[in-house]
Amino acid sequence: MIFIWLRRIIWFMLLLCSLGTFAGCVYYYHVQSSLPDVASLRNTTFETPLQIYTKDNKLIAEFGEHRRIPKEIKDIPEKLRNAFLAIEDSRFYQHFGIDPVGIIRAASVSVTTGRKAQGASTITQQVARNFFLSNEKTYTRKIKEIFLSWKIEQTLTKDEIFELYLNKIALGHHAYGVAAAAYVYFGKTLEELTLGEAAIIAGLPKAPSNLNPITNPKRAKERRHLVLSRMLELGMISKEEFQEADEEEIVASYHVANIEAYAPYVAESVRLKLEELYGPEIYTAGYKVYTTIDSKLQDTANSAVNNGITDYDMRHGFRRPENILKDDSPISLENEEELALILKKRKNFENITPAIVTAINAKENSASIYLKNKSHAQIAWQDMKWARSYKTDSYQGAFPKKVTEVLKPGDLIYVTKLSDTNYALRQVPQVQSSLISIDVNNGAILAMVGGYSFLQSKFNRVEQAKRQVGSNIKPFLYSAALADGYTLGSEMLDDRITIWNAGSRKFWSPKNSPNRYEGPMTLREALAKSKNVVSVRLIRSIGVNKFVKHFEKFGFHVGRYQKNDSIALGAYEVKPIDLVTGYAAFANGGFKVEPFIINLIKISTNNDEEDRTVFEATPAIACPDCENTVEDSIELTSTTPTDNDNSMVKLATIDSIEGSPNNNTKNIAPQIITHANSFLTSSALSSVIFGGIGPRGRYWGTGGKATELKRSDISGKTGTTNESRDAWFSGFNANIATTVWVGFDNFSRPLGRSESGGKAALPIWINYMKVALQDMPNSPVLPDETIIKSDVLGYSEYFIKGSQDKVRRIFQEAGDFSVEQQQKEESVEDLF
């Protein structure tokens, strides 16, 4: 009887199994059409962040929510692979993608507790879920996961599956994959991980947020012990290795991308350009962008702008700081926890950090401070004595004589580090500055700083701010005059002038700055001294419309209501990047290059395959050795050589020019002024720095400070707008052009009394160019064969051949020309 019942039970169980198998097959064929194609896993591309580099391969920035460093299975250390196998799926290389024992265990939990439980997932199942399914705990999802796991095991090898898993798995703190986790938590490569660190990473998949060594070191240590115990149990490590790794101190902290070059304005500019071109995929597709930025020059530009702004800020006085010791405040200066909480809310800016004055040492005339990094330090008297009280941007109080006139206990201040225990008093500047430096021959941006601090303001004043240009517009006016037949020896009257403005129906009397007038002077001297009245007389002489036509050759656009005499003094707004591009034409022989910052774009591929190039810049270049393709006139008139004219170098055959530095390319930038105009304007701008000799003898220019560079190849122009709201300096040699601007974001706020382009902007330019040019031989802008040098005026001056004849006739009529002076004319070949 018992045997009969036993047989019936066995048959019943077999029937149930058969029915279950049949039902499973029916369900599989029902859902298989909706299952994804697992073969696509062979072509998996992992979400990899955007990385931006300098031209010398230093990382500037990394953008993207997921941090991932894909690795091949052979490049993942065995101890790390074993740690994952031990804790996640010890039978991975034996089973067929499913662990029946685990499934039965999960099912029993579900039956006994009434809850849907997720468990016993093999590594293959986790791959199926991570790539194709959601994390919802439903029977349908679990069944699909099992079916997908079978298909994956039939399609991929075990190593391929394991490699996908180790690169895909989420491990907390935006780290995806084991290589990213190794860097994020320990700042190491996979090869550098200890056994204990490998065990910590292997223990993360269960609960990355709660088990990671940064958020919860205690639970991370407990989880590590479990992983190591499993490895010991499975014979993967020895007892000695277990003991050493289990007792290993956990040293973990959050490691961001290893930024090697600080250029946040550059990074943001590139990110915006890429997003516009490629959309949101730039953050996940593994884009690597190589910019034109030189890391050394960028670092120099950062320092130059920071120091220049700091110097200006210190000149204008110390603004009364906030004091934390209020009448209703119970804060104690001896309670470091309270002080730390207050300082935690304050940002660091560039090289200054917040601090609280804890005591005044009257005897030593110094102050004791508590820093944001929870350390104590001193400010000596010599490092705060600059701090006369700020009244307005033009007026400051007397210099202090003792520390109590500057600081008091409880003051919340900013300081800069001199040594571990000594700091200098500073404050967060309110003034701003920008610097843009380009290669004049192709427009490549070498360095760019968009403001004092990206943390303070993300507004990029190089590319986004339009400010009145002031006297930085004058070189374009003088270039127009040369194109209209004037010479640098032509004279204009430097004397007061009053003009009727029909638009405003008012009289306008422009003034020089300083308000001094010297009578007749040459155009060269007038530009060197930045004579406003001469510029107004000059534009009235050649005509506003003619000037505008010439000015717009450089890429500027002048609106209808800007076409008046005041544009001669810079009543026109420009972006610094456009201004430096205009100045580049004076440095490169008259060509309009286009500024660019992205040199190369690659997309990283999985594993060790070579990155794929998707973009490479091919900028149009200047060719100062080529024949002119334009005439020297206000109109932009091209010269059109005939078939018989072999003297004209055609763009189509530029690669055949013997000795040309650009003889391997046909991509020549458009020429907008002649080589002669470019040289003469550049020569006149050199007098801004070095001065010169005119009819009345020696004179000096407004940019004389730049002579401290001890170079003879530089030219430039200062610029200051009404009430000193903007200060400029733009300068160059035959290789590099750089523009610096200083001002407040508030257009109505002046820089203050005595501030100017020569005082506020020029020192920044000097400190940058000192480094930019230090390893470069003298590279002056050279004249072409149309330029001669003559003493026809009684002093040396450059002329375009033929133009000196006009000057000679004028002097002959005046009886001042002699044969001896005529014999002093020299050919340019004798000079260079």
Side-chain angles (χ1 to χ4, degrees), residues 94 215 385 405 408 592 663 711 817:
Q94 285 77 47
T215 305
K385 64 182 181 181
E405 296 177 21
K408 59 182 179 179
K592 187 181 183 300
N663 59 3
R711 298 184 66 96
F817 188 81

Side-chain angles (χ1 to χ4, degrees), residues 9 33 60 66 68 75 97 140 166 281 343 376 387 499 534 619-621 657 710:
I9 291 172
S33 60
I60 294 174
H66 295 177
R68 196 189 309 272
D75 296 323
T140 302
L166 292 174
E281 72 171 75
L343 292 172
H376 293 269
I499 302 166
V534 172
I621 60 175
I657 301 173
K710 293 180 172 58

Side-chain angles (χ1 to χ4, degrees), residues 760-806:
L762 178 55
I764 297 174
W765 186 89
I766 291 171
N767 288 334
Y768 170 77
M769 293 294 274
K770 190 178 297 181
V771 175
L773 302 177
Q774 67 181 0
D775 296 324
M776 190 182 296
N778 265 355
S779 305
V781 178
L782 298 175
D784 66 359
E785 69 281 358
T786 67
I787 297 292
I788 67 161
K789 193 173 186 181
S790 172
D791 284 352
V792 65
L793 300 178
Y795 56 89
S796 293
E797 185 55 271
Y798 291 105
F799 297 93
I800 297 175
K801 283 182 180 178
S803 64
Q804 86 278 13
D805 294 335
K806 179 180 178 182

Side-chain angles (χ1 to χ4, degrees), residues 67-79:
R67 301 191 57 190
R68 196 189 309 272
I69 309 171
K71 292 288 184 180
E72 286 191 51
I73 191 72
K74 65 181 178 63
D75 296 323
I76 300 174
E78 183 181 16
K79 61 189 173 189

Side-chain angles (χ1 to χ4, degrees), residues 187-204:
K188 296 182 177 182
T189 63
L190 293 179
E191 295 76 15
E192 295 170 331
L193 291 175
T194 65
L195 176 59
E197 290 165 342
I200 287 175
I201 292 174
L204 291 172

